[in-house]
Amino acid sequence: GAGVSQSPSNKVTEKGKDVELRCDPISGHTALYWYRQSLGQGLEFLIYFQGNSAPDKSGLPSDRFSAERTGGSVSTLTIQRTQQEDSAVYLCASSPPSDTQYFGPGTRLTVL
Amino acid sequence: SQQGEEDPQALSIQEGENATMNCSYKTSINNLQWYRQNSGRGLVHLILIRSNEREKHSGRLRVTLDTSKKSSSLLITASRAADTASYFCATLNSGSARQLTFGSGTQLTVLP
């Protein structure tokens, strides 16, 4: 079946602009996660959605970052007033009621 | 912050040899997982070992877990050039948080 998809695959933006990154999880998966990976580093947790519960936003690095998940499916990660240090690969993952997470291909964000 | 630390950071071996990667972590965990990443994009789940397990096998993969030392190892036997990738350990910590905490990864290069 279809895996997790993300769009766009690459995004180049200018400092100060807002960007939106999209994640389509695997159908039926109740949990959705956003992570960020800087060059040559491991993944950094950003935010987690589980069903209709309030999201766990404990990993968001600043109030310029926000995310929503509409209808328990598609999620959008928004970064306002982008900075150069926001440049990274943003990875989305979804999981069924188990501990295995299925990752999308990521969005490579470059802030000039 | 990254909980898991992988050792070595980079490993280069000949095809057919075994590759061993180690991971250490700091807090109490529910389970530990290993992921593989090609070319800095999406991660692929390899294997999960629960905190009450000591060893697990999947094909050419063997994972061990020592909770007293807070460490794990991933062994890839009879390596192939196609195994070239970055390998990350990730822990699901005990408690209510559901996000994974990733290590910084080991870059494995298998030479043909």
Side-chain angles (χ1 to χ4, degrees), chain A residues 2-93:
Chain A
V4 177
S5 62
Q6 292 185 245
S7 61
S9 56
N10 287 284
K11 176 73 176 178
V12 180
T13 190
E14 294 180 345
K15 178 181 173 181
K17 302 278 189 180
D18 298 351
V19 295
E20 283 191 353
L21 312 179
R22 177 187 168 107
C23 172
D24 283 87
I26 294 172
S27 177
H29 281 192
T30 55
L32 187 147
Y33 307 77
W34 282 98
Y35 295 88
R36 175 170 74 172
Q37 185 178 30
S38 300
L39 186 64
Q41 301 295 313
L43 277 68
E44 172 190 6
F45 166 73
L46 297 177
I47 188 169
Y48 157 60
F49 296 89
Q50 173 62 58
N52 295 322
S53 302
D56 177 352
K57 303 179 181 180
S58 59
L60 294 178
S62 79
D63 59 8
R64 297 186 294 104
F65 288 72
S66 63
E68 62 179 25
R69 188 180 185 190
T70 54
S73 180
V74 173
S75 177
T76 302
L77 176 69
T78 300
I79 308 173
Q80 296 178 310
R81 305 181 302 281
T82 52
Q83 304 294 312
Q84 288 182 331
E85 60 262 29
D86 299 335
S87 295
V89 176
Y90 289 82
L91 290 154
C92 173

Side-chain angles (χ1 to χ4, degrees), chain A residues 9-10 33 35 37 40-43 45 48 56 58 89 91 99-101 103-106 108, chain B residues 2 30-31 33 35 37 39-43 45 48 50 88 92 97-100 102-104:
Chain A
S9 56
N10 287 284
Y33 307 77
Y35 295 88
Q37 185 178 30
Q41 301 295 313
L43 277 68
F45 166 73
Y48 157 60
D56 177 352
S58 59
V89 176
L91 290 154
D99 294 334
T100 299
Q101 296 184 18
F103 282 81
R108 185 179 300 279
Chain B
Q2 298 289 338
N30 181 295
N31 63 61
Q33 305 176 37
Y35 285 81
Q37 184 179 42
S39 305
R41 301 305 290 260
L43 278 75
H45 181 263
L48 179 154
R50 302 198 181 281
F88 293 89
L92 184 67
R98 302 307 297 169
Q99 70 270 21
L100 294 172
F102 282 82
S104 52

Side-chain angles (χ1 to χ4, degrees), chain B residues 51-63:
Chain B
S51 60
N52 61 354
E53 297 176 308
R54 292 297 168 258
E55 187 171 315
K56 203 160 184 180
H57 297 254
S58 176
R60 293 184 296 112
L61 304 180
R62 172 178 169 248
V63 170

